Each structure stands twice: as structure tokens, then as C-alpha cells.
Amino acid sequence: MIRRDTPLLRWFSIALAFVLMVLPMPAWLQALRPFVLALVVVFWALETPKHMGLFRVMLIGLMLDLAGFTLLGESALRLLLIAGFVLQFRSQLRFYPVWQQSLFLMALLYLDMLLLWVLRAVQQVPLPPMESWLSPVLAFLLWPWLYMLLDNIRMQNRLK
Amino acid sequence: MARDKYTALSNESSLRAWLPFLFYAMISLALMMVDGRFSLGSEIRAQSSRVLSPLWWLAAQPNAVWQSGVQALKQNSNLRAEVQALQSRQLKSDLALQQLLAIQAENTELRRLLNAQQRMAPQARLVELVNSVPDPSQKRFIINKGSVDGIREGQVVIDAYGLVGQVAEVYTGTALVISVLDADHAVPVMVARSGFRSILIGQGNDRYLLLANLTQSDDVKIGDVLITSGVGGRFPPGLPVGIVKLFQQDPALTYISAQVTPIARPGYGRNLLLLQPAAGPTGIDKPASGKEGPP
């Protein structure tokens, strides 16, 4: 089964995730915002690792730092951690059922939260609010839908 | 033996597989240090604002559409009630303004007699809040005017209720405003009742600011309104900032600090006023914010 590469879908989905990451939200919702960009990056790292290497992941992270007014390199490091694990366990992860992938990603996102707390503590800036610990749960619920959506679009592209 | 060799090999190769990750992680960490020292990020942001501004604008669109949809769907009766409420409010502020005009005239006369410097009425322009910094621990937001509109760093932002913040970074078509609530922001204030002066420090949350290092003898009470004192020349005097909510003992038990509820209520799509810098002795002091750029 040879899948055709879908660069257009890849960059469009990443661009859309960028917009979602900077979408204005009420203050109480802001902390709950799931790390959608990480999920999209993980999808492409699973499907087309050749086109979503760590260098590109770092560049995407740096762009998110610029767009999101965080310290340059912070989001890059967070995305690298997530994508690094995913690329490392890619061969197993690809054949997990989707809900197990979700679980794995939620664990990774909690690791990411831990990293974020450490980075914030080192910078001596206010720590993320307590509600942000719920955002990986939202990502857990979001992943199956995101996976199916992107996978379906890819499939259609292949059949043409 | 063979098996041992195999495991050793696989361990080695898995370690090797992590090397690119470590390499890029090191680069990211190095960038963070450089950015922390030299605020590289804001430099690049200013240079690449042509790319970033459309992104912020695009992200603000769903909300803008939603807001206008809500406006369009508002019931006629609701609108009528709103107009009535606004009219009565206008009447009240007109009345207050009339009294204020008399006081102002008196004040000008007194200042002339005392040979003191005249206070200028600040010029203001309308801007719109389009987006806020997505990181919930930063209290900063983006407005829809930038350097092409003549916005300059340090301009004071207010809303209908009180002081909102000041312009921190200016891009081509947008500007970044740092709110008084941000942990990197401090504003010189005065208790309107007693004239006691201090510095009000943002805490990075929406609920309160902190008036730190108070002693028992300082004349501050719960319910006191804090206004800008004008010390430092960055903020014009007399803008309401917050109301003292409660006192708390410092961990060191030497001083007391007061939690202050902010007065301004900025929101998406709402209008804000940007004060033009007064033609007076400003720019003597550095900006009230402690650090430049993002934390």
C-alpha cells in the first residue's frame, strides 16, 4: 500500500493548528486550550516521518514562540520532546488502536506540562494556572477525531 | 553471548537514536537563554510582523464574526433597553462633567495664580483589542493599530473604567499592549482618599494586583480607590486603577500587602482609548515595567 505524500494537507493542517493556538478565548478557557499543534505535528510524524523530522519540528516550535509571545525556544523544546518520543516509538505506536495512541499522547502531554512548569520556574515568571492540567485530557478526547479526519482526507487523496 | 551482544547493540543504537533530539533540544535551550538575555524574540517579531499580523488578524476573525452575529441577533426590545440604559448613563456623566468643568476652570485659575504648570487635557484615539497573548500567564494583548498609525511605545491605554496598560511593542499594523495585570508591570499609584503613594504590581492573573510593603501606619483602607500618581511621567495622574480588596501578611511578617481589584474591563472587540503622549516633561524616567520584552 503506497500512500502518496500530501504536502498541501500537511501544511494546511499545521497552519490551521497555528490559528487555533492563537485564537482569542475568554480567560478561563485559555488555560484549557489543548496543544492542537502538537497533535497535528504528531500525526504527521507518525504518517510521514521523512517530512516531519526534528529539525522541522523545531522550526514549527520557534514559529509558535514568535506567534504566541513565549520565550524563543520554549515551544520548540516542548514540541521536540513530544515529537522525539513519538518518532522513537513510531513503529509500535502506528499499530496501536487509536484510543491507546490517545492515552500515550496524554501521558506525553503531561510530561510536556511538567517541562513547561520547570521552564517557567527557571524563567521566574508566573506558573501556568491550575486549570491547564486539564488540557491534556481535552487533547486525549480530541486525538481520535483529529486522527480520523486527517486520515480520511489522506485516503481520499490516495484514491484519486 | 550472542544475545548479550545483541542487547548491547540495541541499547547503543537506541541511545544513538536520541542524539538528534538532544542536539535540537540543546539549540532550543541555547535560544531560550539568548532570548532571555537579549530579547531576540521581540526583535524578530518586529521584523516579521508582516507575516505574524495576518495570523493574529485571522485568528481574531471567528470572534469578530461571532460578536457581530450576536449584535445582529439582539432583540429589538433588548436594544431599546440598552439605549435607555446608555441614555441615563450619559445624562449622569453629563451632569458630572458639568461640575467637573467648573472645578477645572477653578483649578486652572488657581494654578495660574500659583504660577504652576498647566495640566493638559490628554488627547486620545480609539483602538480595538483584537487578540490576546495565548499564554494564560501573560496578561498582554494585541491592538489593531501599529507604527503606520503613529503608535509609539509607552503610550497609555485606558478604557471607559480606568487604566488598562501601556504599549510595549509596536509592529507595522498592530501593537502589543502590556496590561497592568501582567507580572512584568508596575504602576505608580496614589490612594485617592489619603494621597498615600506606592507602586502597584501586576501578578499575572485577572483577579488582583498587589500593593506590597505596606506598614501599619500607611493610610490605606479596604475600599480605597487607587489612581495613577503621575510619578515618573509615564502615566498621566488621576486615572483609576483599582480598589483595595483585602490585606494579607507578607511571608516575612514584616510588611503587609494589599490585594487590589482592577477597575478596567477590557474585552475582545471592545474599544480602548490610546492616550497621546502629553507635551510635557515625559521620558525622564524609564518605563514603569521592570523588564523589556517577554519574560
Side-chain angles (χ1 to χ4, degrees):
Chain A
M1 188 165 88
I2 299 167
R3 286 190 172 184
R4 262 177 47 205
D5 185 32
T6 48
L8 201 68
L9 179 64
R10 182 166 54 238
W11 295 117
F12 180 74
S13 59
I14 285 172
L16 198 67
F18 257 100
V19 171
L20 288 176
M21 290 309 287
V22 298
L23 199 72
M25 283 181 175
W28 60 275
L29 254 175
Q30 220 170 28
L32 294 175
R33 186 197 312 257
F35 202 171
V36 186
L37 185 62
L39 296 184
V40 173
V41 163
V42 163
F43 177 86
W44 293 109
L46 280 177
E47 297 292 317
T48 57
K50 284 226 159 47
H51 299 282
M52 194 46 79
L54 288 176
F55 180 66
R56 280 192 180 174
V57 170
M58 186 180 73
L59 286 189
I60 291 170
L62 290 177
M63 273 158 69
L64 181 63
D65 283 323
L66 287 178
F69 295 91
T70 39
L71 197 64
L72 204 63
E74 191 187 89
S75 306
L77 192 61
R78 293 173 61 194
L79 277 179
L80 276 173
L81 181 84
I82 294 167
F85 268 100
V86 167
L87 285 171
Q88 208 57 208
F89 297 106
R90 177 176 170 268
S91 44
Q92 289 103 308
L93 210 55
R94 278 197 73 183
F95 298 102
Y96 281 180
V98 175
W99 71 270
Q100 281 183 15
Q101 289 180 352
S102 255
L103 214 59
F104 181 83
L105 285 179
M106 186 168 75
L108 268 186
L109 285 170
Y110 273 113
L111 193 66
D112 165 63
M113 288 291 300
L114 214 61
L115 173 71
L116 184 63
W117 273 59
V118 171
L119 290 176
R120 289 288 159 85
V122 170
Q123 289 172 49
Q124 296 182 326
V125 295
L127 295 171
M130 275 325 219
E131 303 94 70
S132 56
W133 287 98
L134 274 177
S135 90
V137 179
L138 291 183
F140 169 80
L141 296 174
L142 192 65
W143 171 256
W145 305 105
L146 188 99
Y147 185 88
M148 275 188 272
L149 180 74
L150 287 177
D151 205 43
N152 274 347
I153 300 175
R154 283 199 82 209
M155 282 293 196
Q156 277 170 13
N157 197 291
R158 186 176 62 100
L159 290 175
K160 266 173 209 166
Chain B
M1 276 304 277
R3 194 178 165 178
D4 282 350
K5 206 172 170 183
Y6 175 73
T7 46
L9 249 178
S10 81
N11 273 345
E12 194 192 30
S13 69
S14 85
L15 255 182
R16 192 170 292 163
W18 281 102
L19 277 181
F21 167 77
L22 285 177
F23 174 70
Y24 290 120
M26 289 304 227
I27 293 183
S28 303
L29 275 174
L31 270 174
M32 284 174 80
M33 282 177 201
V34 173
D35 191 15
R37 281 275 174 281
F38 307 108
S39 57
L40 184 68
S42 14
E43 292 289 324
I44 300 176
R45 235 168 255 135
Q47 295 300 321
S48 58
S49 67
R50 269 177 213 288
V51 185
L52 292 173
S53 294
L55 177 68
W56 295 323
W57 176 85
L58 192 68
Q61 287 321 294
N63 203 293
V65 170
W66 169 256
Q67 294 283 351
S68 55
V70 166
Q71 285 295 327
L73 285 174
K74 256 188 185 167
Q75 291 292 315
N76 215 349
S77 56
N78 280 357
L79 275 179
R80 213 167 288 151
E82 205 176 301
V83 167
Q84 236 157 37
L86 281 176
Q87 271 173 349
S88 69
R89 220 178 94 188
Q90 167 99 42
L91 210 64
K92 276 180 201 157
S93 24
D94 274 352
L95 198 72
L97 200 63
Q98 279 171 24
Q99 290 166 339
L100 205 68
L101 281 175
I103 293 170
Q104 202 177 26
E106 203 177 283
N107 192 5
T108 315
E109 185 63 25
L110 284 171
R111 276 184 175 261
R112 202 180 54 79
L113 286 175
L114 285 168
N115 232 343
Q117 197 195 356
Q118 295 291 331
R119 265 187 197 175
M120 306 289 275
Q123 296 288 309
R125 69 185 295 178
L126 218 56
V127 293
E128 201 177 301
L129 190 162
V130 291
N131 204 336
S132 69
V133 170
D135 176 8
S137 50
Q138 286 186 45
K139 299 298 165 197
R140 295 169 197 217
F141 45 82
I142 299 161
I143 54 172
N144 65 345
K145 294 273 190 298
S147 55
V148 286
D149 309 289
I151 306 289
R152 271 182 283 162
E153 201 181 306
Q155 275 189 283
V156 178
V157 183
I158 61 171
D159 71 359
Y161 306 96
L163 180 67
V164 171
Q166 59 174 313
V167 176
E169 286 170 27
V170 184
Y171 312 123
T172 321
T174 47
L176 181 72
V177 171
I178 178 167
S179 160
V180 286
L181 297 165
D182 193 279
D184 266 357
H185 197 274
V187 48
V189 290
M190 178 170 99
V191 174
R193 178 182 53 82
S194 63
F196 169 77
R197 282 170 189 188
S198 184
I199 287 180
L200 192 60
I201 302 158
Q203 299 297 305
N205 68 54
D206 290 314
R207 298 185 306 281
Y208 65 91
L209 301 95
L210 217 57
L211 200 61
N213 302 339
L214 297 172
T215 59
Q216 290 288 352
S217 57
D218 291 335
D219 197 356
V220 184
K221 285 185 200 158
I222 285 174
D224 272 349
V225 176
L226 297 178
I227 58 176
T228 50
S229 64
V231 172
R234 169 64 50 127
F235 298 98
L239 298 172
V241 189
I243 296 168
V244 178
K245 188 173 64 174
L246 62 93
F247 291 103
Q248 61 185 40
Q249 195 88 42
D250 272 3
L253 301 177
T254 327
Y255 294 104
I256 316 164
S257 49
Q259 286 190 8
V260 175
T261 316
I263 286 180
R265 283 179 258 169
Y268 298 120
R270 292 224 196 109
N271 286 323
L272 301 171
L273 283 176
L274 199 64
L275 300 187
Q276 305 287 11
T282 53
I284 300 166
D285 289 66
K286 288 296 287 173
S289 61
K291 273 191 274 176
E292 295 278 322

